[in-house]
């Protein structure tokens, strides 16, 4: 049985009428840029994150870029982040002329290790960007404590964690700024690119609000050199249709995760994802196992038609574009090992029991 890693057509089919109507409505009212749907979605996302302000932007990447700008990050500043994430997390730091300071991860959560963050702080540190990888929030309390002590801003990369919870606090509710992505493969995905920044402070909101329209307020009066980065109204309309289903979808992912956990628990060759004690709600954007014999397993999954992917095969410190930072490879043993061993399996909400059984059967056979 062929099982895709992700199949978005099933979601579309189940919501086709609502989605088509919402999109056509925007085509009719033609307020394509910052139309009423954007504003409404911002209110709802702010509410979901238990904060006062949200600002729609063009992508999750831009959310990080604008948030770091608003946090005051400038050329030459240092910004601490995880060595193991999607490229955007590190790319935006370097694009501002700041210096990405990579920190190794915890071996069970794959998230930034707060004990190592402390050692990475210098007088030049301007911000910390914890990433909530695979749908589990990073260990925020020690990070927030360090940030407060050293007067450093915290920008949550919550691109994979919308609706996730840490000690009953929502992802996005803890940092000075928090960034979400509506890339189609995220738990809440648009019909294209989209992103959102949430924040607790009105002045921070005002800054983001200006940055996304070329730094102007009012129009044509440019206080800052900003960007063209708005969430498209059509995307907001799509997301408004999907948002009410988000929690149900996350519950489905959690169910699938429990079934995988149960099926793999006695396999010594498979390390299942660790849900940390402080995690009150994991949204499983990915179900990522670690296997020492990954090449072998990948070949067998391919033969069986089972979709999978490697998030992520190369840690930041090894990326060619960051060679100028001169990181020593032996400074990141956990990230290096993770990059060698991780493998993500199909976990989308619409995955059927038969499909999941096929995934499980292939893996059990392969590693026994
Ligand atoms: C998806 C993602 C981003 C970037 O979001 P885009 O909307 O694709 O620009 C940033 N960080 C992480 C961890 C992501 O998963």
């Amino acid at each position: 049985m062929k099982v895709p890693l992700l199949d978005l057509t099933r979601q579309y089919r189940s919501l086709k009428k609502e989605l088509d109507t919402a999109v056509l409505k925007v085509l009719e009212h033609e307020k394509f840029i910052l139309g009423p749907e954007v504003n409404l979605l911002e209110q709802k996302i702010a509410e979901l994150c238990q904060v006062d302000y949200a600002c729609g932007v063009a992508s999750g990447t831009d959310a990080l870029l604008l948030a770091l700008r608003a946090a005051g990050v400038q050329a030459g500043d240092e910004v601490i982040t995880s060595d193991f994430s999607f490229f955007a997390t590190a790319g935006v730091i370097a694009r501002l002329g700041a210096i990405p300071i990579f920190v190794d991860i915890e071996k069970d959560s794959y998230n930034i290790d707060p004990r190592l963050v402390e050692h990475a702080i210098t007088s030049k540190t301007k911000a910390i960007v914890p990433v909530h990888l695979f749908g589990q929030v990073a260990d925020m309390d020690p990070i927030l404590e360090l940030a407060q002590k050293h007067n450093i801003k915290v920008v949550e990369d919550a691109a994979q964690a919308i609706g996730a919870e840490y000690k009953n606090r929502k992802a996005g509710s803890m940092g000075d700024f928090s960034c979400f992505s509506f890339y189609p493969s995220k738990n809440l995905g648009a019909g294209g690119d989209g992103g959102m920044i949430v924040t607790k402070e009105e002045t921070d909101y005002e800054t983001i609000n200006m940055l996304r329209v070329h730094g102007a307020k009012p129009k044509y009066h440019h206080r800052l050199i900003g960007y063209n980065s708005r969430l498209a109204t059509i995307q907001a309309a799509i997301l408004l249709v999907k948002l009410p289903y988000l929690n149900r979808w996350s519950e489905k992912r959690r169910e699938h995760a429990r079934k995988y956990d149960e099926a793999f628990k006695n396999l010594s060759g498979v390390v299942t994802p660790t849900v940390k004690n402080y995690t009150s709600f994991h949204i499983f954007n990915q179900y990522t196992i670690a296997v020492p014999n990954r090449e072998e397993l990948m070949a067998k999954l391919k033969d069986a038609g089972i979709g999978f992917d490697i998030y992520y095969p190369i840690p930041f410190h090894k990326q060619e574009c960051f060679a100028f930072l001169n990181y020593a490879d032996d400074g990141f043993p956990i990230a290096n090992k993770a990059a060698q061993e991780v493998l993500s399996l199909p976990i989308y909400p619409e995955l059927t029991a038969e499909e999941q059984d096929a995934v499980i059967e292939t893996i059990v056979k392969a590693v026994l």
Side-chain angles (χ1 to χ4, degrees):
M1 178 189 266
K2 267 203 168 356
V3 184
L5 177 63
L6 177 64
D7 179 2
L8 291 169
T9 60
R10 300 181 199 187
Q11 193 192 60
Y12 174 57
R13 268 188 239 118
S14 76
L15 298 176
K16 180 171 167 36
K17 247 184 147 161
E18 285 179 80
L19 284 168
D20 291 0
T21 306
V23 168
L24 290 174
K25 197 173 148 200
V26 177
L27 292 175
E28 290 286 347
H29 74 47
E30 67 167 56
K31 296 185 180 75
F32 299 124
I33 305 297
L34 298 180
E37 286 85 353
V38 175
N39 204 273
L40 191 55
L41 182 72
E42 287 170 346
Q43 287 171 30
K44 289 185 189 267
I45 298 290
E47 211 172 286
L48 171 79
C49 295
Q50 303 164 341
V51 297
D52 286 335
Y53 304 98
C55 204
V57 294
S59 67
T61 304
D62 274 11
L64 289 163
L65 186 70
L66 272 62
L68 287 175
R69 262 291 296 275
V73 171
Q74 294 182 342
D77 290 340
E78 293 179 358
V79 177
I80 296 170
T81 194
S82 169
D83 190 43
F84 191 64
S85 175
F86 178 63
F87 178 74
T89 316
V92 294
I93 298 170
R95 280 168 66 190
L96 290 171
I99 304 158
I101 304 295
F102 301 131
V103 165
D104 207 357
I105 54 174
E106 299 177 328
K107 77 165 189 271
D108 52 0
S109 70
Y110 305 111
N111 280 325
I112 194 167
D113 187 336
R115 290 167 304 178
L116 300 177
V117 170
E118 179 155 25
H119 299 295
I121 293 173
T122 72
S123 59
K124 286 196 203 165
T125 309
K126 192 74 185 213
I128 305 174
V129 185
V131 182
H132 308 326
L133 207 65
F134 304 146
Q136 173 161 244
V137 178
D139 191 4
M140 290 300 290
D141 274 343
I143 292 170
L144 294 168
E145 203 174 299
L146 285 169
Q148 191 167 28
K149 183 169 149 198
H150 297 275
N151 197 19
I152 297 166
K153 298 282 185 190
V154 174
V155 175
E156 290 178 58
D157 183 343
Q160 300 183 7
I162 191 165
E165 287 177 19
Y166 171 84
K167 300 182 184 177
N168 297 315
R169 284 176 274 165
K170 287 282 181 194
S173 68
M174 292 166 274
D176 296 284
F177 300 88
S178 300
C179 302
F180 294 95
S181 164
F182 304 123
Y183 185 82
S185 67
K186 303 291 158 80
N187 284 34
L188 181 64
D193 281 309
M196 183 89 55
I197 302 168
V198 303
T199 180
K200 288 169 273 198
E201 299 291 334
E202 189 177 4
T203 53
D204 287 336
Y205 166 74
E206 292 294 341
T207 306
I208 300 284
N209 208 9
M210 270 190 276
L211 282 174
R212 72 174 169 175
V213 290
H214 300 287
K217 192 185 179 180
K219 209 171 178 181
Y220 306 124
H221 294 250
H222 299 271
R223 300 195 204 172
L224 301 164
I225 301 172
Y227 306 85
N228 170 1
S229 185
R230 279 96 43 155
L231 176 65
T233 307
I234 283 191
Q235 300 304 345
I238 289 172
L239 293 162
L240 279 169
V241 170
K242 291 189 180 186
L243 184 59
Y245 300 93
L246 175 63
N247 203 45
R248 236 169 294 172
W249 290 335
S250 294
E251 285 295 356
K252 274 283 175 199
R253 288 171 180 271
R254 290 160 58 81
E255 261 173 50
H256 298 329
R258 281 194 290 271
K259 182 164 164 179
Y260 279 137
D261 284 348
E262 189 59 30
F264 302 147
K265 74 175 180 207
N266 294 321
L267 297 179
S268 57
V270 175
V271 181
T272 54
T274 302
V275 179
K276 304 284 280 193
N277 283 335
Y278 52 66
T279 299
S280 37
F281 201 73
H282 192 321
I283 64 157
F284 286 100
N285 177 248
Q286 300 295 342
Y287 186 90
T288 303
I289 58 173
V291 281
N293 59 337
R294 190 173 66 187
E295 288 301 317
E296 229 179 287
L297 181 58
M298 280 165 50
K300 288 182 177 159
L301 288 168
K302 238 180 230 154
D303 279 350
I306 308 287
F308 64 89
D309 210 341
I310 309 300
Y311 306 115
Y312 295 92
I314 307 172
F316 290 151
H317 75 273
K318 275 201 219 295
Q319 291 289 354
E320 189 181 339
C321 69
F322 293 134
F324 72 97
L325 296 169
N326 291 314
Y327 277 101
D329 193 39
D330 58 7
F332 305 88
I334 316 287
N336 281 338
K337 187 162 188 282
Q340 296 288 316
E341 297 188 348
V342 291
L343 186 145
S344 299
L345 299 174
I347 189 146
Y348 52 96
E350 301 82 4
L351 185 73
T352 66
E354 295 71 34
E355 287 173 323
Q356 194 174 11
D357 290 339
V359 179
I360 290 168
E361 199 187 297
T362 307
I363 290 176
V364 170
K365 255 204 248 156
V367 303
L368 270 185

